[in-house]
């Protein structure tokens, strides 16, 4: 883990409860992808979630009949999830074993989590996620659009967090190089002038 990533984890660790309590409602664009996953994968399909946070997305995925493996690199989030009665694992997708005893996953869900991964490490992370996913399985990722990297202090997290920003063409290239096909990248407005890049891709 880079120093920037470690500092970001510490920031989340200190304010995990506040972050979970103030997580906004699920946007319609996210709900639409969840419905798609539920329809295409079918009830009981297994989803590896990278960056479960306070558990909002996992709950919605399970409402659509999917089985979610909750993971987060931040220990405090994992503790919160376990306190809610869920199984959850501390997991770094860059270095930790992504496999499970039930075989390959049907999908990977990484909503607003991989935006903390260094640009040089994202190809490795996406390749490892592809290796853990069955052929024809789905990937959903959301990152912020922009250039370069930077630190930000906002919202319920008081400490600075490190973010990386992507343009569609560069992100598409990384995804295809990591083994994902049929890549769709859609711009979705965020707060103010902020733009998100929402990705859906298929394991080739």
């Amino acid at each position: 883990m880079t120093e920037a990533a470690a500092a970001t984890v510490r920031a989340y660790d200190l304010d995990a409860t506040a972050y979970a309590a103030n997580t906004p409602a699920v946007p319609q664009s996210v709900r639409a992808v969840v419905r798609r996953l539920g329809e295409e994968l079918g009830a009981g399909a297994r989803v590896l979630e990278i960056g479960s946070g306070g558990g909002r997305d996992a709950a919605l995925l399970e409402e659509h009949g999917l089985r979610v493996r909750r993971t987060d690199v931040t220990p405090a989030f994992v503790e919160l999830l376990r306190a809610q009665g869920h199984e959850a694992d501390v997991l770094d997708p860059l270095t930790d074993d992504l496999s499970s005893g039930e075989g390959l996953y049907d999908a990977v869900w990484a909503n607003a989590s991989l935006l903390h991964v260094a640009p040089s490490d994202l190809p490795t992370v996406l390749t490892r996620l592809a290796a853990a996913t069955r052929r024809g399985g789905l990937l959903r990722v959301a990152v912020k659009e922009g250039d370069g990297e930077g630190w930000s202090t906002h919202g319920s997290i008081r400490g600075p967090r490190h973010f990386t920003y992507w343009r569609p063409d560069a992100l598409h290239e990384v995804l295809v190089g990591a083994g994902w096909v049929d890549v769709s990248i859609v711009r979705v407005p965020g707060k103010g002038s902020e733009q998100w890049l929402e990705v859906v891709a298929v394991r080739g």
Side-chain angles (χ1 to χ4, degrees), residues 53-91:
R56 181 198 70 177
D57 290 2
L60 183 60
L61 288 161
E62 289 179 339
E63 286 178 12
H64 285 74
L66 302 169
R67 291 190 294 145
V68 182
R69 179 187 176 192
R70 293 165 169 82
T71 77
D72 205 289
V73 72
T74 300
F77 281 136
V78 172
E79 291 174 8
L80 283 175
L81 294 167
R82 289 173 176 169
Q84 295 169 12
H86 302 294
E87 292 186 9
D89 301 307
V90 176
L91 185 142

Side-chain angles (χ1 to χ4, degrees), residues 41 105-108 133-139 180 201-204:
L41 299 176
Y105 300 97
D106 298 297
V108 173
T133 306
R134 65 167 175 80
R135 292 193 179 276
L138 300 179
L139 169 73
W180 300 95
V202 177
R203 172 69 170 95

Side-chain angles (χ1 to χ4, degrees), residues 77-190:
F77 281 136
V78 172
E79 291 174 8
L80 283 175
L81 294 167
R82 289 173 176 169
Q84 295 169 12
H86 302 294
E87 292 186 9
D89 301 307
V90 176
L91 185 142
D92 184 340
L94 178 63
T95 57
D96 292 338
D97 183 3
L98 305 178
S99 64
S100 79
E102 296 185 60
L104 299 176
Y105 300 97
D106 298 297
V108 173
W109 185 269
N111 188 27
S113 57
L114 300 187
L115 44 67
H116 297 304
V117 175
S120 59
D121 288 332
L122 189 61
T124 300
V125 169
L126 290 172
T127 298
R128 298 184 82 239
L129 293 175
T133 306
R134 65 167 175 80
R135 292 193 179 276
L138 300 179
L139 169 73
R140 198 276 178 174
V141 171
V143 297
K144 292 185 178 183
E145 184 174 23
D147 300 301
E149 309 171 48
W151 292 87
S152 177
T153 304
H154 64 273
S156 302
I157 305 298
R158 293 167 293 177
R161 290 172 286 163
H162 188 261
F163 290 85
T164 62
Y165 304 94
W166 289 89
R167 295 295 181 185
D169 289 348
L171 183 58
H172 186 280
E173 182 178 351
V174 172
L175 285 156
V176 172
W180 300 95
V181 300
D182 297 336
V183 177
S184 168
I185 301 177
V186 177
R187 284 189 178 91
V188 177

